[in-house]
Amino acid sequence: MAIAEFLLFVLTATLGGMFLCGANDLITIFVAPECFSLCSYLLSGYTKKDVRSNEATTKYLLMGEASSSILVHGFSWLYGSSGGEIELQEIVNGLINTQMYNSPGISIALIFITVGIGFKLSPAPSHQWTPDVYEGVRFVR
């Protein structure tokens, strides 16, 4: 991989992080970390000929996409419970106006969102795959 591709992936990941800082709706909250994640998947597979790097990238990709699907499922519960709103302020207003903030649907949505974000960040107990990725990725010096 050329240095231009490497810099493109790093800059795109940075752009995803910048979009996440200014996110105020569910779509941007999902797309911005995915932009960051996809670039970090590609950067973890930087050394294509190394078997350990390929294994680490595959584990990283599969766990990342599983967590993304869990996160989207939680967002869909939140979207449905709030009456079809995607902006965070409108979701809160919709939940307060309809007295849905104590419903089991909101609890399910928050559980799925927490688990999805938890697998993305990989704190305990969802950290079993993280050391494999760190061992397989070789940093270029």
Side-chain angles (χ1 to χ4, degrees), residues 103-123:
S103 72
I106 295 300
S107 300
I108 291 171
L110 292 178
I111 288 170
F112 275 109
I113 290 169
T114 303
V115 168
I117 291 173
F119 271 104
K120 285 273 186 203
L121 297 177
S122 69

Side-chain angles (χ1 to χ4, degrees), residues 11 17 25-26 29 40 46 50 55 58-59 61 76 87 94 97 114 116 119:
L11 289 175
D25 59 24
L26 294 178
I29 291 174
S40 57
Y46 190 72
D50 187 17
E55 178 187 356
T58 304
K59 285 182 182 179
L61 178 68
S76 67
E87 290 189 19
N97 291 338
T114 303
F119 271 104

Side-chain angles (χ1 to χ4, degrees), residues 37 39-47 50-64 119-120 122 126-139:
S37 296
C39 290
S40 57
Y41 303 152
L42 293 170
L43 287 172
S44 68
Y46 190 72
T47 55
D50 187 17
V51 176
R52 289 178 26 177
S53 176
N54 291 337
E55 178 187 356
T57 303
T58 304
K59 285 182 182 179
Y60 193 24
L61 178 68
L62 292 176
M63 290 303 294
F119 271 104
K120 285 273 186 203
S122 69
S126 60
H127 66 287
Q128 293 88 2
W129 59 275
T130 310
D132 293 337
V133 175
Y134 289 152
E135 287 176 4
V137 174
R138 294 200 179 184
F139 296 105

